[in-house]
Amino acid sequence: VVGALVLTICMLAFIAQETMILRDMLNEELSTLAQVIGANSRAALAFDDRKTADETLGALSADKSISAAFLYNAQGVELARFVRQADDPYATPLKTDQVRTETLPPEGRAFDVGGHTHFLHPISLDKQFIGTLHLINKHSEMAWRLGSFVLVALYIALISLVMAYAAAARLRSLV
């Protein structure tokens, strides 16, 4: 019983650690993607070019984990959008006052809402704030990875418990 309890505690600790690692990886992937899309959006923002901005965000269709993306100018007005599924309630733009911020850290900021990670990335041109990129990532890939990890951990725990029970039974028969 004590062994099973210790094994369960260790397994829960590993799952918690894996969750934190996966979240950090997701945020790093979003940051990298935001930097690339943000750099490609500078000209569209500078010239208020909606067509080019839409084309730039349209490239996100290749990344199945991105639910939506919005490009806002420096005043917080939406310039372009990419929405994978129109009926996704979490794929909605932010209010103007939520994106009209020059105080975002250069690497951006992530926050979670309803099973989606929102990532805000400031876009600058010649050190002047010109807009914000807002990416929305659904957690499906992270959930799949975490689910796989949990299944492997449970499988290892089950095998360990069976082996411990078999060893205990063998030792009992010797005594």
Side-chain angles (χ1 to χ4, degrees):
V1 174
V2 173
L5 181 62
V6 168
L7 187 60
T8 302
I9 291 170
C10 287
M11 188 174 66
L12 291 174
F14 280 123
I15 290 170
Q17 178 187 15
E18 186 69 12
T19 301
M20 290 186 294
I21 289 170
L22 285 174
R23 183 168 306 285
D24 288 345
M25 284 174 46
L26 172 67
N27 288 343
E28 187 63 34
E29 288 172 11
L30 285 174
S31 177
T32 300
L33 183 60
Q35 288 174 29
V36 171
I37 297 294
N40 290 334
S41 300
R42 286 186 184 126
L45 283 165
F47 295 106
D48 198 35
D49 184 351
R50 292 180 183 276
K51 182 177 182 274
T52 302
D54 279 331
E55 289 172 2
T56 301
L57 293 187
L60 293 168
S61 65
D63 188 338
K64 301 297 182 208
S65 68
I66 299 295
S67 298
F70 303 92
L71 187 62
Y72 308 98
N73 65 18
Q75 292 73 40
V77 176
E78 183 183 312
L79 182 66
R81 70 171 48 201
F82 162 76
V83 178
R84 187 170 305 280
Q85 291 180 314
D87 61 344
D88 185 346
Y90 297 103
T92 57
L94 296 172
K95 295 181 176 104
T96 302
D97 60 333
Q98 294 174 300
V99 294
R100 272 191 64 206
T101 177
E102 298 170 9
T103 60
L104 281 173
E107 66 277 3
R109 179 178 44 137
F111 58 96
D112 291 331
V113 177
H116 289 65
T117 296
H118 293 250
F119 192 86
L120 297 177
H121 177 72
I123 302 170
S124 299
L125 182 62
D126 297 328
K127 298 185 180 184
Q128 182 173 349
F129 175 75
I130 61 169
T132 304
L133 176 64
H134 174 204
L135 298 176
I136 303 174
N137 178 289
K138 57 184 173 185
H139 289 170
S140 58
E141 184 178 339
M142 189 170 110
W144 182 85
R145 287 182 188 175
L146 190 56
S148 297
F149 182 81
V150 168
L151 284 176
V152 169
L154 288 173
Y155 183 68
I156 291 170
L158 181 63
I159 290 173
S160 299
L161 289 174
V162 167
M163 290 175 64
Y165 180 76
R170 175 93 168 121
L171 287 174
R172 263 192 243 129
S173 69
L174 294 176
V175 175

